[in-house]
Amino acid sequence: MLSTMLNIKNPEAHRLAKELARRRGDSLTGVVTYALREQLAREPEPVTKKATIEEIEALFDVIRKAAPPEFFKTEDPTAEFYDP
């Protein structure tokens, strides 16, 4: 297994890690690992996938089924939102 290092050069980050280690009775490595796990559990995965045409069409089908029939009476369903 390769050895990896994390060199924290920010004085505040180092101070916070030391304080958390003191409070938890843990090592700096332990509290940094703990804090990162906790934060990763709260952080959502970034959405990078682009929808396919099929997925968009499927979404439109859901909208068509959910929308009231009067929504589709005009060519422009948003026309009623504007002055004539």
Side-chain angles (χ1 to χ4, degrees), residues 1-44:
M1 182 172 162
L2 289 174
S3 175
T4 57
M5 294 177 63
L6 176 64
N7 186 4
I8 299 173
K9 295 179 181 180
N10 180 295
E12 182 186 16
H14 194 266
R15 179 185 57 76
L16 291 170
K18 279 177 66 173
E19 178 61 20
L20 186 57
R22 185 189 67 76
R23 290 184 189 187
R24 292 181 54 88
D26 202 350
S27 66
L28 287 176
T29 300
V31 297
V32 169
T33 302
Y34 169 80
L36 290 171
R37 278 193 188 121
E38 288 292 309
Q39 188 59 39
L40 281 171
R42 290 187 195 98
E43 190 73 27

Side-chain angles (χ1 to χ4, degrees), residues 46-52 55:
V47 178
T48 57
K49 179 185 179 269
K50 292 184 180 181
T52 64
E55 290 169 328

